[in-house]
Amino acid sequence: MLSRDEKERIEAEAGRYPSRRAALSEALMIAQEARGWLGDEALADAARELGISSASAESVATFYELVYRLPVGEHVIQICDSVSCWIRDGESILDHLRERLGVELGGTTADGLFTLVPAGCLGLCEAAPAAMIDGEAYGGLTTEKLDAILDGIRGRKRGDAAQR
Amino acid sequence: MAYKNFILVCAGTGCESSKAIEIYDSLIREAEAQGVKNDVQVVKTGCFGFCEKGPIVKVMPSESFYVEVKPEDAKEIIAEQVVKGREVKRLLYKKDEKTADTVKIEDIEFYQKQFRVVLRNCGVINPENIDEYIARDGYSGLERALFKMKPADVVSELKASGLRGRGGAGFPTWLKWDLTIKAPGEVKYVVCNADEGDPGAYMNRSTIEGDPHSLIEAMTICGYTIGASTGYIYIRAEYPLAIERLKIAIKQAKEYGLLGPKILGSDFSFDLDIRLGAGAFVCGEETALLQSLEGKRGMPMPKPPFPAVQGLWKKPTVINNVETFVNVAVIMTKGADWYSKIGTEKSKGTKTFALTGKIANSGLVEVPMGTKLRDIIFDIGGGIKGGRKFKGVQTGGPSGGIITAESLDEPITYESLTALGSMMGSGGMIIMDEDDCVVDIAKFYMAFCVDESCGKCAPCRIGTSQMHDLLEKITTGNGTEDDLLKLEKIGKAMTKASLCMLGGSAANPTLSTIKHFREEYLEHIRDHKCRSGKCKDLVVYSIDPVKCIGCGLCARKCPVPCIAGEKKQAHVIDRSRCVKCGECFKACKFGAVVKN
């Protein structure tokens, strides 16, 4: 079930466009926000708010990388796997993450804290290699820096990104 | 109360990710602690471009240019510069670390050959303050359009300026707008493509972060010109700072009557809305972007009909990218006469580029069209990092091709880059040195296209996968010369038959590297050799018995383990069991482990 607040937010999004369907990706993101991922029920609920079928919403949900149709951990690490990071030794950062977290790309740590996903290009090339954790940018990564960042994040709650 | 000093702190995402905000906070705290808060104003600005040396702090009016600043430096900057009125020498940019001679901003080579039109306000104004934009002639282009020009006059002005689309293809901007004006229909839309997804490109992000009002002004001018009352900015969700700055800017513009009903008291009303992308590279293609905006899968549509005739919700739509719009704001402010003097005959104005990869000064640059690649890479970019040899530069991201040393003196224009087998693209430039393997890089780009292909048309869906498999064969030492021919054949077919430019250009990195580095491909195929050592499967590790002192470090690091030897005796690698991880190579302090 979507909360009242979620329904209201979806309704507000739908009001922005001449067609309700246009608000679908926003509606899916709203439904995903509190849950961390988008389960079948949340997807169907969001679709219903906009008056479209679950199947049709599913076709959109599976198209976009930022809609997670499988459960994710407390914190999502988007590691940039674009050529500009790769050419600056981004692979060693990825290897380090794999090793430290004990997961492959797409995997979630056993304690449910971290999910590791690749990102096409985060556009942080001036600070390559780079990653985004819970929507916050981290650049100029080294294995030491990454360790310090992960240690700092442990204990932080979902959506509780550092204040800008 | 007038301030004696202004401290500009770069707050672009790049510098922010290395603590620029902490620096900003520390400066304010220190100014207060040292009792000089009324003498100095600390301002967060957009990107200075010189990202390699970030975080950057600039102090005015002395024009002190501080690089690689840390939060702990705030105390000294305030104490020296504001309290005592002298520069902090150790933080100033130095041309040469050895001589420690400092240079003024105007003498920094990175800036000398640049000409900032699109980025004119980045690093100069506070992007979160509309007054600073207005103080630099901001919104005067909109005023001019609304009160002194008819829509047709705006089109003529754009035509005279010679502006062409900066998203890659270079379609004349005036023509796009004119077609939309002439398309029948009451309702029309303005859309900005800020879905910058090209690997290695971040010009649009930095432009919005540093100067969001330029985009708002230009989109409003477009709305007036084509008769639209609504505009959408489709921007990647991965750009949170740019989104935040846009939101602030839109709110301020509305408060000032520069957006919303009856703009500046005229009869023209226009509203802007921000729409976030949800992570799909293909949405950078205009028809896919419009599909996505409508709440559908972001898959490209066949053209015609072009968006100018049938775009968003089948209404005539102008869709331009961020840089194109920002150029419009400048043209309308400074005039087409001024603008058309910049650049070459067919490619007018400037172009922003993001320099990344193996370049000494990575960063954001803007140069007049017609500038030579050599000037960008060697004079502005400072050449290759670590003094290695230049191998090539990839322009146009995964849609472009590699340009080699022989073509460095080619002036950059839409036509010249296409003739070189690459393209202007959005402006990412990835510089490669002798340590990079072109086959490996072509494979990397192709893997990206396999991931990002939407799957709608067969040439792209199947072609990218097939080409990737062939490249994989070659990089693992299983390729044949026939595979090389197959790559060229599939690549050409894909280029011709794909529905959109993602598939239509996906073969470019492969085809251009085959053209320029056929020898290297053949080495992989015939000799099972990768000269740069990047293709792991082709690398062979061995230990030089003369250099090896038998310390055993490599054997301890080996995960297999497959290195044996007595203490103080030369060690040996058992190649049949070696997994080629390279740990021994990295561990050896005597250069005894050899990579071939």
Side-chain angles (χ1 to χ4, degrees), chain A residues 13 16-26 29 52 56 58-67 78 81-84 86-89 91-92 95 118-128 132 135-140 145 163-164, chain B residues 13-14 16-17 21 51-52 189 197-202 205 232 236-241 244 273-275 277-280 282-283 292-299 313 356-359 362 385 430-432 436 440-441 444-445 448 452 454:
Chain A
E13 290 296 332
R16 287 165 59 195
Y17 305 102
S19 126
R20 292 178 68 80
R21 189 192 169 100
L24 180 57
S25 67
E26 270 110 339
M29 294 310 273
I52 54 181
S56 179
E58 168 83 345
S59 78
V60 172
T62 52
F63 190 80
Y64 297 99
E65 273 172 21
L66 300 178
V67 180
Q78 290 173 277
D81 76 343
S82 93
V83 66
S84 37
W86 179 69
I87 208 170
R88 281 201 172 187
D89 212 18
E91 214 164 10
S92 69
D95 286 344
C121 177
L122 293 170
L124 289 165
C125 321
E126 77 273 42
M132 240 176 176
E136 200 185 340
Y138 296 91
K145 204 169 159 185
Q163 291 289 310
R164 276 209 185 286
Chain B
T13 300
E16 256 205 13
S17 73
I21 296 306
C51 310
E52 184 70 31
Y189 292 106
D198 255 18
Y202 60 94
R205 191 203 78 218
Y232 295 101
R236 305 179 71 190
E238 290 90 338
Y239 286 178
L241 186 61
E244 189 186 310
D273 212 339
I274 299 171
R275 174 61 177 271
V282 69
C283 289
S292 177
L293 243 172
E294 291 181 14
K296 300 172 187 163
R297 286 166 75 91
M299 305 225 274
W313 294 297
T356 62
K358 305 287 180 63
I359 185 105
S362 69
K385 211 171 192 169
I430 295 167
I431 287 91
M432 301 161 208
D436 294 310
D440 201 26
I441 282 174
F444 195 90
Y445 273 117
F448 177 82
E452 300 296 344
C454 78

Side-chain angles (χ1 to χ4, degrees), chain B residues 442-591:
Chain B
K443 184 176 83 173
F444 195 90
Y445 273 117
M446 196 52 76
F448 177 82
C449 293
V450 171
D451 275 350
E452 300 296 344
S453 169
C454 78
K456 183 171 178 170
C457 75
C460 174
R461 182 182 67 241
I462 302 170
T464 52
S465 287
Q466 292 295 333
M467 285 185 76
H468 182 260
D469 289 352
L470 289 167
L471 288 164
E472 178 78 25
K473 259 179 92 180
I474 295 173
T475 54
T476 52
N478 300 310
T480 63
E481 285 181 44
D482 187 45
D483 291 336
L484 213 48
L485 300 176
K486 271 189 202 156
L487 278 173
E488 288 175 313
K489 204 171 163 188
I490 299 172
K492 278 174 195 154
M494 247 168 80
T495 305
K496 252 187 178 167
S498 294
L499 177 61
C500 81
M501 280 309 286
L502 193 161
S505 59
N508 282 352
T510 307
L511 295 179
S512 75
T513 46
I514 293 179
K515 183 176 157 198
H516 294 294
F517 297 96
R518 203 176 189 95
E519 266 314 300
E520 274 189 45
Y521 274 85
L522 289 172
E523 270 173 24
H524 282 72
I525 294 167
R526 288 182 193 154
D527 313 331
H528 304 289
K529 190 181 155 203
C530 171
R531 63 171 85 172
S532 62
K534 282 281 150 81
C535 296
K536 275 189 188 161
D537 291 287
L538 303 183
V539 171
V540 178
Y541 290 98
S542 57
I543 294 174
D544 181 343
V546 181
K547 285 187 180 164
C548 179
I549 62 151
C551 69
L553 185 62
C554 58
R556 286 196 295 278
K557 288 273 176 186
C558 178
V560 178
C562 66
I563 303 179
E566 294 293 318
K567 237 187 175 160
K568 297 194 179 167
Q569 299 290 318
H571 283 46
V572 180
I573 299 174
D574 178 357
R575 284 188 195 163
S576 65
R577 288 159 60 215
C578 174
V579 294
K580 299 171 182 178
C581 66
E583 285 299 322
C584 53
F585 182 76
K586 275 189 249 169
C588 183
K589 295 190 176 85
F590 307 96

Side-chain angles (χ1 to χ4, degrees), chain B residues 222-369:
Chain B
C222 180
Y224 168 73
T225 309
I226 65 165
S229 60
T230 309
Y232 295 101
I233 301 169
Y234 186 100
I235 182 167
R236 305 179 71 190
E238 290 90 338
Y239 286 178
L241 186 61
I243 295 164
E244 189 186 310
R245 298 239 165 101
L246 259 183
K247 283 184 179 162
I248 294 171
I250 289 176
K251 190 167 163 269
Q252 289 176 345
K254 282 185 180 168
E255 284 164 7
Y256 276 57
L258 293 161
L259 260 186
K262 299 200 175 299
I263 291 172
L264 291 170
S266 71
D267 287 333
F268 173 63
S269 302
F270 188 72
D271 248 321
L272 265 184
D273 212 339
I274 299 171
R275 174 61 177 271
L276 305 191
F281 171 73
V282 69
C283 289
E285 200 280 339
E286 58 182 13
T287 58
L289 185 150
L290 295 175
Q291 290 287 305
S292 177
L293 243 172
E294 291 181 14
K296 300 172 187 163
R297 286 166 75 91
M299 305 225 274
M301 301 290 281
K303 292 189 271 195
F306 289 92
V309 179
Q310 239 182 68
L312 191 58
W313 294 297
K314 299 216 183 318
K315 311 289 185 205
T317 303
V318 161
I319 173 165
N320 281 135
N321 96 330
V322 176
E323 191 173 339
T324 314
F325 274 126
V326 172
N327 271 297
V328 170
V330 179
I331 292 164
M332 292 302 294
T333 306
K334 296 209 170 191
D337 280 347
W338 177 83
Y339 188 87
S340 61
K341 290 194 179 80
I342 311 164
T344 67
E345 194 199 336
K346 283 183 178 169
S347 300
K348 295 288 183 197
T350 59
K351 181 75 194 81
T352 58
F353 291 103
L355 296 182
T356 62
K358 305 287 180 63
I359 185 105
N361 301 330
S362 69
L364 189 66
V365 306
E366 182 172 357
V367 290
M369 292 276 193

